[in-house]
Amino acid sequence: MADVVQVVGTDDPVRPLFSEAGELRADARSGLGLDAAALRDLYQKMVLIRRADKEALNLQRQGELGLWGQYLGQEAIHVGAVAALEPTDWIFPSYREFGMAMCRGVDPAEMLTWFRGLSHGPWDPRKYAFAPLAVPVATQVPHAVGFAMGSKLRGDDDVVLGTFGDGATSKGDWHEAMNFAGVFRAPVILLCQNNHWAISVPLAKQTAGSIAERAPGYGFPGIRIDGNDVLGVFAAVRAAAERARRGDGPYLIEAMTYRMGAHTSSDDPTRYRLDSELQAWSAKDPIARYQSWLQGQGLLDEAAAAAIDGEAETMAEQMRTRLRAAVPAPAGEAIFGRVYERPPDPFTEEREEFEASLEGT
Amino acid sequence: MAEQTFRLPDLGEGLTEAQLVTWRVEEGGQVEVNEPLCDVETAKAVVVIPSPWAGTIQKLHARPGESVAVGSALVTIAAQGAPAPVEPLPAESVEATPSTLVGYGPGAGPPAGIRRRARVAPSTPQMGSDVRAAPFVRQLAKERGVDLAALTGSGPGGRITRADVEGAASPVAATSAAAAASTTDGERRISVVGIRKAIARQMVRSVTTIPQFTEFAVFDATKLLAARERQKQSGRSMTPLPYFILALVKAVRAFPLMNSSWDEAHDEIVVKQPINVGIAVNTSQGLLVPVLRGAERLDLMAIADQAARLIEGARAGTLKPVEMSGGTITITNVGASGPVETGTPIISPTECCVGAFGAIKPRPMVIDGKVVARSGAWISISVDHRIVDGALATEFLTALVGELETSRA
Ligand SMILES: Cc1ncc(C[n+]2csc(CCOP(=O)(O)OP(=O)(O)O)c2C)c(N)n1
Ligand SMILES: [Mg+2]
C-alpha cells in the first residue's frame, strides 16, 4: 500500500531555517543576504503601513469611511512576505491586507476609496500583481491556487501567494484549495496569518489541532513560525517561493501573530477577550522588536527613525486630504450597471426602487 | 477661520444613534487633528471620536448621557487655516467615470443602456403587505402617521413615493406627532438608552420565557457572624457577601442543575462546569452584574478580594464588558442597604437560579422549645421550573441554609 501515497515535493528548505519553536535561527538570520538599506526598508515599510492603518481608523471614526479592518500587529507578515516575492508574483489577499497592497506600491489614499464605497476595485490588479480584496472568507485561496495552476500551465516561473486568516481554514473552500494545490503541485505559497481570532471566535474554538500540520495530509510541507518577526517571515516566504519556482509545489506557512485591534471598526473586542491577552502580545510587537534589533546592529539611529516617523506623518496627512477630495459619489449605475447583461425583473425593480429613493435627496 | 460642524457619523454599518459618554474637550479649548473629541457608545461598541479638524471648540451640541442621532450636530469647531492644496486622485480610481474603470479589462466598457422592464401603469395598491414602497418611505409614513394602504402610488408599478406620503401627511398629524415626543400635561418623557434599555430587554426576556417560582427560608447567622468576628480579630473585616457566595457555591456543587440554562432551540439543559457568580450591584448608572469567574476554585479570601474588586469596578464604571458577562448563577444582596427582609428576584435569562439575601439582624427563633433572640436572615431563590421542580429547589435551599449555618472563617 505504501507506494500509493505519493508525497509531492517532500524536500523542505524552510524547516532547517527555524528552531522547533518557529524562531528564525541566528545563522539563517545573518545569512539572508539583505544589506543595510534593505533591512532598514523593511522597518520603514512597517512604520508606514501602521501609520496608514491608524489614519484609516481615524477617518472611519470621522465618517469618511464606511468601515475599516485594522491589521495592527500583523505588519511583519505584510512587509516580510511581500519583500520576499518578485514584484511579478501574484498575491491573493483577504480584506485585511491593505498593508501588503501598500508594499506593492498601491497608493493608500486610492485604496481607501474602496472602504468609502466609491469604487469596486481601486487598483489595477494586473499592474500590481495584486488581486482585489476578498471579503467572503477563504474565497481567495482557491483563486490563488487556480492562478498558480494557470501559471504552471503557461510555463512561466511566477509563483503565487494566497493569504488568509485562521478562521478561513475552517472553510470548505480552503480544504478544496489545499487539495488542488497538492494534487496539481501548484506553485503557491499558502500563508496563514494566525492572529488568534476570527471576529469573536478564539483559535481554540477554530481548530483542535495545528493548522501547519495539516499540510502533509495534502501532500506538501507546512511550518508554524513566529509571525511577528519580519525577517523570519521573509526567510520562510522566500525559501518557499524558491522551492515553488523550482517546480516542487506548494508550501503552507502558519505565521503566528495577534490581532491587536478590533475585528473591524464595527467591533468591540472588550466584549469577548481579556486585556491581559492583549498586554501579553503587546510585548511582542513586531515593530518595536525589529527596531531594537536594528538598533543593536547599529543600523538605525534616532535621527533615521525620526525621519521615518516624519515621512509617515506626511503620508497620513496626504491620505486624509486626498481621500476627502475624492468625493464624486457613484451613481446607481455603478451598483446595478455591471451585474447582468440582461437583468431579470426583480433586479430591475430593485434598481428602480433605489433610483426612486434618491429622488429629492 | 471657518466654522465647521461635525455631525455624528454612522460608526458601525447601519447604526442610527449613539449615546454620548463623555467629552474630552471643552468649549473654548483648542483641538488638533485626530485628537480625541469624545467617547460615544453605540449598540456595537464604545468608540473614541478623533477630531477631523484643528481649531477652537465653539460649541458642544450634546451632553453626556444624551442620545445623539446619526447626522445630528456633535461639535462646532472654528478651524484653523485653509485646507492644503490637494493632488486629486486619478480618475481611474473612482467609478464616477465608468468608461475608465480599471480592472475589468479592455472591451468591457460601460453598458450602452440598461434594458428597462416596461413600466406598468400606476394601479391602486392592494392592502397590507401588497403595498409597494421603499423602506424609507414606509418609515416616513409611520412618522407622519400616513396609512400607506389608503394611498395610490404614483411611482412605477403603483409604488408609493416620498412625494405621495408628503402630500398625504396633514399638517395636523405632523404637529401631534411632534408633540408626543416632548412634554404633555404633567408627563415627562425620558428616552431609554444604554444600561436602562439593556436591563429592560433582559427582564422582559426573563419573565416572558422562563416559568419561574420563588422559595423562601430563614437561616441562623450566629456561626457566620462569629466567623466574621474572628476574621476581624485577625485583621481582616469583610461584609457577609463572601460568605453568601461561598455557601452558594458549595450548595451548587451538590446540585449542579442549579448551574445550568435551558436551551430552547435544542430542548436541552446545558449544565455549566465553572461556577461564575454574577453579583448584582447598584451603581449610579443602574444595576450592573459583574461576574466572579471560576468561583468553585476560590477560597473565602479570594472570593472576598475578587468580589470587592468587581463591585468597585462596577461602581467606577471601569469594568470591561467581558467582566460583566458569562455568569452561570446570580446573587443579590437585597438586605445590604436597608431593612429589606427578602424579595422575589428575577432570573437572568441565560441562567437557572438567582438567590437573594436579606438583612442579618436579631430575630426571635425557637431553640430547644424556647423563644430566643438570634441573628438571622431571609434567603430566597428563584428557579427555572423547566429545569427544577419544587422538591429539588427545596433540597437545594436546605443545603444552602446548611452551608450558611455552618459558616467558618
Ligand atoms: C463566507 C463568509 N462567512 C462569514 C463572513 C463574516 N466574517 C468576516 S471576517 C470573519 C472572520 C475571519 O477570521 P479569520 O479568517 O481568522 O481572519 P481575520 O479576520 O482574523 O483576519 C467572518 C466570519 C464572511 N465575510 N464570509
Ligand atoms: Mg483571524
Side-chain angles (χ1 to χ4, degrees):
Chain A
M1 276 306 278
D3 58 338
V4 177
V5 180
Q6 188 204 355
V7 175
V8 295
T10 40
D11 76 300
D12 185 345
V14 181
R15 188 161 292 279
L17 306 175
F18 289 87
S19 72
E20 267 309 295
E23 300 293 338
L24 187 63
R25 292 187 190 283
D27 52 336
R29 188 176 297 270
S30 49
L32 285 172
L34 294 173
D35 62 16
L39 290 170
R40 262 199 301 273
D41 189 54
L42 296 176
Y43 174 76
Q44 180 209 30
K45 289 218 163 77
M46 287 201 286
V47 171
L48 288 180
I49 70 170
R50 176 169 291 187
R51 186 63 187 85
D53 182 55
K54 184 174 163 197
E55 195 60 22
L57 184 66
N58 284 336
L59 287 163
Q60 194 280 337
R61 298 292 187 233
Q62 290 159 356
E64 303 284 349
L65 300 177
L67 177 74
W68 178 247
Q70 281 196 283
Y71 44 77
L72 183 68
Q74 301 180 213
E75 293 89 349
I77 303 176
H78 285 210
V79 171
V82 177
L85 297 172
E86 295 298 326
T88 45
D89 292 336
W90 272 73
I91 296 174
F92 285 77
S94 85
Y95 43 83
R96 211 180 284 291
E97 272 74 65
F98 266 60
M100 284 192 173
M102 280 179 68
C103 292
R104 271 289 164 91
V106 177
D107 175 345
E110 262 175 71
M111 288 189 313
L112 291 183
T113 59
W114 193 73
F115 273 118
R116 195 182 169 97
L118 296 181
S119 150
H120 282 153
W123 62 83
D124 179 350
R126 290 185 182 82
K127 183 170 164 201
Y128 298 98
F130 199 86
L133 304 177
V135 173
V137 169
T139 50
Q140 74 276 21
V141 193
H143 298 166
V145 171
F147 203 92
M149 287 164 63
S151 167
K152 191 177 167 185
L153 286 174
R154 274 198 310 274
D156 58 34
D157 68 349
D158 289 346
V159 305
V160 176
L161 179 102
T163 186
F164 46 86
D166 42 299
T169 65
S170 295
K171 282 205 61 211
D173 332 33
W174 187 83
H175 159 75
E176 290 160 24
M178 291 288 287
N179 194 45
F180 264 78
V183 170
F184 293 96
R185 210 190 256 235
V188 63
I189 302 138
L190 297 145
L191 175 62
C192 177
Q193 301 189 42
N194 186 337
N195 62 9
H196 286 79
W197 289 91
I199 313 187
S200 55
V201 176
L203 185 59
K205 293 255 169 79
Q206 198 66 250
T207 173
S210 135
I211 292 168
E213 282 169 17
R214 292 188 211 169
Y218 294 102
F220 54 90
I223 190 170
R224 172 182 275 198
I225 63 164
D226 174 359
N228 279 11
D229 174 14
V230 67
L231 294 180
V233 174
F234 176 87
V237 173
R238 194 175 64 176
E242 281 167 0
R243 178 179 178 278
R245 236 183 281 283
R246 281 199 300 273
D248 286 346
Y251 201 102
L252 173 65
I253 299 170
E254 181 187 10
M256 303 306 285
T257 184
Y258 192 74
R259 196 194 75 210
M260 305 285 285
H263 173 68
T264 66
S265 49
S266 303
D267 171 49
D268 180 359
T270 64
R271 290 179 193 222
Y272 53 80
R273 70 183 189 189
L274 293 168
D275 226 26
S276 51
E277 192 179 292
L278 186 63
Q279 297 311 323
W281 279 93
S282 299
K284 302 182 212 166
D285 181 81
I287 297 185
R289 265 172 71 181
Y290 189 54
Q291 183 182 26
S292 69
W293 183 80
L294 281 178
Q295 282 165 348
Q297 302 285 309
L299 293 173
L300 186 78
D301 57 23
E302 298 224 331
I308 291 171
D309 289 345
E311 198 184 320
E313 285 311 312
T314 311
M315 174 207 65
E317 205 176 307
Q318 280 281 320
M319 273 171 78
R320 150 178 302 275
T321 44
R322 295 181 56 223
L323 175 75
R324 282 200 185 140
V327 226
E333 177 68 16
I335 303 174
F336 295 95
R338 291 165 182 274
V339 184
Y340 291 100
E341 193 188 22
R342 276 178 295 138
D345 281 355
F347 185 79
T348 306
E349 267 172 39
E350 201 181 332
R351 176 184 178 131
E352 286 169 358
E353 291 213 346
F354 176 74
E355 285 169 355
S357 74
L358 299 178
E359 282 167 19
T361 54
Chain B
M1 286 279 230
E3 235 177 51
Q4 287 175 293
T5 295
F6 178 61
R7 293 169 184 282
L8 179 72
D10 171 5
L11 293 158
E13 300 170 87
L15 298 175
T16 54
E17 60 168 17
Q19 191 182 3
L20 187 77
V21 177
T22 177
W23 282 108
R24 299 195 186 204
V25 290
E26 45 187 44
E27 287 176 5
Q30 293 292 312
V31 69
E32 294 297 325
V33 172
N34 288 340
E35 215 176 284
L37 283 177
C38 58
D39 298 9
V40 301
E41 179 167 9
T42 71
K44 295 184 178 175
V46 175
V47 299
V48 180
I49 298 187
S51 177
W53 311 297
T56 310
I57 305 289
Q58 297 293 97
K59 184 163 174 53
L60 307 179
H61 294 278
R63 285 186 311 275
E66 223 176 287
S67 172
V68 184
V70 166
S72 314
L74 198 59
V75 57
T76 300
I77 297 175
Q80 278 154 3
V86 170
E87 177 197 335
L89 288 172
E92 298 89 63
S93 71
V94 282
E95 296 192 357
T97 49
S99 53
T100 53
L101 187 70
V102 292
Y104 287 73
I114 299 290
R115 192 189 67 93
R116 280 183 182 265
R117 194 169 48 99
R119 293 201 169 181
V120 252
S123 62
T124 312
Q126 302 298 299
M127 295 298 289
S129 60
D130 287 341
V131 167
R132 294 192 61 203
F136 86 97
V137 173
R138 289 176 191 272
Q139 179 65 29
L140 187 70
K142 209 168 140 197
E143 282 166 18
R144 303 280 173 90
V146 173
D147 179 8
L148 285 178
L151 291 187
T152 304
S154 64
R159 190 171 34 73
I160 299 167
T161 65
R162 169 198 293 239
D164 294 339
V165 172
E166 280 169 348
S170 66
V172 182
T175 5
S176 67
S182 59
T183 324
T184 48
D185 259 353
E187 276 179 7
R188 194 162 61 90
R189 291 189 162 252
I190 301 168
S191 78
V192 176
V193 292
I195 290 176
R196 197 69 256 145
K197 204 167 180 170
I199 294 172
R201 212 179 292 129
Q202 290 286 82
M203 292 303 109
V204 169
R205 202 177 134 206
S206 176
V207 299
T208 54
T209 60
I210 305 181
Q212 39 196 299
F213 68 94
T214 308
E215 290 193 348
F216 307 88
V218 174
F219 73 94
D220 182 339
T222 308
K223 291 228 167 84
L224 190 156
L225 291 184
R228 203 166 137 233
E229 189 54 37
R230 278 197 300 281
Q231 285 288 347
K232 203 170 160 188
Q233 310 272 301
S234 57
R236 169 87 201 225
S237 44
M238 56 174 77
T239 67
L241 182 70
Y243 291 96
F244 294 162
I245 295 175
L246 186 65
L248 185 75
V249 168
K250 286 182 174 168
V252 166
R253 276 223 201 111
F255 296 88
L257 264 189
M258 292 295 166
N259 202 48
S260 69
S261 62
W262 182 262
D263 182 351
E264 183 74 52
H266 301 97
D267 269 338
E268 283 172 352
I269 294 166
V270 186
V271 182
K272 321 258 172 89
Q273 190 56 261
I275 304 175
N276 298 337
V277 183
I279 305 169
V281 182
N282 184 35
T283 74
S284 56
Q285 300 186 51
L287 172 68
L288 290 180
V289 187
V291 175
L292 200 163
R293 284 169 191 275
E296 77 284 3
R297 288 181 280 110
L298 303 179
D299 64 9
L300 185 70
M301 287 305 154
I303 288 175
D305 290 344
Q306 292 274 346
R309 182 186 69 80
L310 288 166
I311 291 169
E312 204 172 289
R315 296 216 168 105
T318 55
L319 293 185
K320 306 261 182 259
V322 73
E323 292 174 297
M324 289 188 279
S325 62
T328 59
I329 189 165
T330 298
I331 183 170
T332 172
N333 197 358
V334 295
S337 55
V340 176
E341 292 279 33
T342 186
T344 54
I346 295 175
I347 300 170
S348 166
T350 52
E351 297 172 10
C352 169
C353 174
V354 52
F357 291 79
I360 298 179
K361 61 180 186 191
R363 51 189 82 236
M365 287 190 195
V366 180
I367 311 275
D368 296 336
K370 289 206 186 74
V371 178
V372 292
R374 292 285 276 254
S375 285
W378 284 82
I379 36 173
S380 63
I381 53 165
S382 296
V383 295
D384 185 339
H385 207 331
R386 293 172 300 184
I387 302 174
V388 171
D389 296 334
L392 188 69
T394 303
E395 281 183 52
F396 173 69
L397 191 55
T398 308
L400 183 53
V401 166
E403 293 295 345
L404 287 162
E405 292 189 340
T406 54
S407 294
R408 276 174 311 208

